[in-house]
Amino acid sequence: MAVAQLTESVLQLTLNEGFDPISGEFILKHKRFNNVKPEATAEQLFETANAFVSVQQHELYGVSRRDVSEIHEDEA
């Protein structure tokens, strides 16, 4: 049987830096924070994202978490 082991977690904030008058679309920038604790809950990450945004000049557009797992055969 195969099992997955979480090896990396990243918190990504998407910030709205304004509106592009030529394309008519938002200008979005990403800030990534590596080494997120795997046991961090969605609520904790959302609170952390809002704390970071409070010291940014741009508004928050979105928050995401990216997890990477290694998949291997269970040795049990």
Side-chain angles (χ1 to χ4, degrees):
M1 172 196 264
V3 295
Q5 180 179 2
L6 184 61
T7 58
E8 180 184 7
S9 194
V10 176
L11 175 64
Q12 180 173 301
L13 308 182
T14 303
L15 303 172
N16 181 355
E17 292 197 345
F19 191 73
D20 184 344
I22 296 172
S23 70
E25 297 183 10
F26 290 116
I27 300 169
L28 302 176
K29 299 293 180 174
H30 304 283
K31 299 270 186 189
R32 297 182 71 169
F33 300 92
N34 298 321
N35 301 320
V36 172
K37 291 183 178 181
E39 60 273 1
T41 65
E43 184 65 29
Q44 290 170 325
L45 293 178
F46 194 71
E47 289 175 7
T48 301
N50 282 312
F52 281 120
V53 168
S54 70
V55 296
Q56 298 288 321
Q57 68 183 33
H58 304 293
E59 69 180 49
L60 183 63
Y61 186 83
V63 179
S64 62
R65 176 182 188 156
R66 311 249 183 235
D67 292 328
V68 176
S69 297
E70 287 186 9
I71 300 173
H72 55 88
E73 190 170 340
D74 187 11
E75 297 176 6

